[in-house]
Amino acid sequence: MSDFFDHPVVCNAGPILGLSRVNQIDLLLRLFPQVILPREVVEELLLIPHADTPALQRQLSAFHRLDIPCQPERRLLADLDLGEAAVIATAVKRQITGILMDEKRGRRIATLVYGLQVKGTCAVLVAAKNRGLISAVRPLLETMRARGYYLGPQVVTEALRLARE
């Protein structure tokens, strides 16, 4: 069985925002052969007030950005925001089995309805530690949360357990 991190993924805004708060967006590029951002996700990221938008735009240029709107099915848009729906629809259309998303509802729909593998920001940090790309997960999670990125207490506890911290 191959590792989730050996394959291209479609990424939602959440993991990029979380990792940007601790200057670790590059982990995505170091862990995955390709990170695909649907146009809807890029637009969402550029609309969010961010302290250093030019820096974020430079970082986003390293990802595979789709220029054509994805146009997700109505049933996806009924339950999810446009970015989450676009991530799932893009993965399904491109036959990519893995997505990066933190939002609970989107993760549940991606997994149960579409059979996608889903990982979030915490899993990225644990994988980065396991591969020697970072020395510890805890300080990054603490900083992320202190800078306003929401991560549920159970998710954090599980990430720290997996990171052996």
Side-chain angles (χ1 to χ4, degrees), residues 16-100:
I16 291 173
L17 290 172
L19 293 170
S20 74
R21 298 215 171 139
V22 291
N23 300 314
Q24 295 293 332
I25 291 178
D26 67 309
L27 290 177
L28 296 174
L29 299 168
R30 296 170 72 191
L31 288 169
F32 296 98
Q34 184 178 50
V35 179
I36 299 167
L37 300 179
R39 178 179 177 171
E40 294 83 353
V41 170
V42 173
E43 289 172 354
E44 180 181 340
L45 286 166
L46 296 178
L47 288 176
I48 294 172
H50 194 273
D52 193 9
T53 301
L56 181 61
Q57 288 178 2
R58 279 191 306 278
Q59 290 169 320
L60 291 178
S61 68
F63 296 103
H64 182 74
R65 295 166 52 168
L66 302 179
D67 293 328
I68 300 168
C70 142
Q71 301 175 349
E73 300 171 8
R74 284 192 183 131
R75 70 180 180 156
L76 274 174
L77 291 171
D79 292 321
L80 303 172
D81 73 20
L82 183 57
E84 294 162 358
V87 166
I88 293 170
T90 298
V92 170
K93 287 177 186 174
R94 291 178 170 254
Q95 298 180 340
I96 294 171
T97 58
I99 65 171
L100 295 174

Side-chain angles (χ1 to χ4, degrees), residues 122 145 150-157:
C122 290
R145 292 175 89 187
Y150 177 78
L151 294 166
Q154 291 176 326
V155 173
V156 171
T157 299

Side-chain angles (χ1 to χ4, degrees), residues 1 3-5 8-12 14-15 32 80 84 87-89 91-92 96-124 155 162:
M1 186 171 150
D3 186 52
F4 179 87
F5 295 91
V9 291
V10 183
C11 188
N12 194 31
F32 296 98
L80 303 172
E84 294 162 358
V87 166
I88 293 170
V92 170
I96 294 171
T97 58
I99 65 171
L100 295 174
M101 182 180 294
D102 285 336
E103 294 79 10
K104 193 175 195 177
R105 177 176 250 178
R107 292 169 64 95
R108 188 171 38 251
I109 290 170
T111 304
L112 298 176
V113 177
Y114 294 94
L116 298 171
Q117 295 179 40
V118 184
K119 302 280 184 196
T121 304
C122 290
V124 169
V155 173
L162 292 170

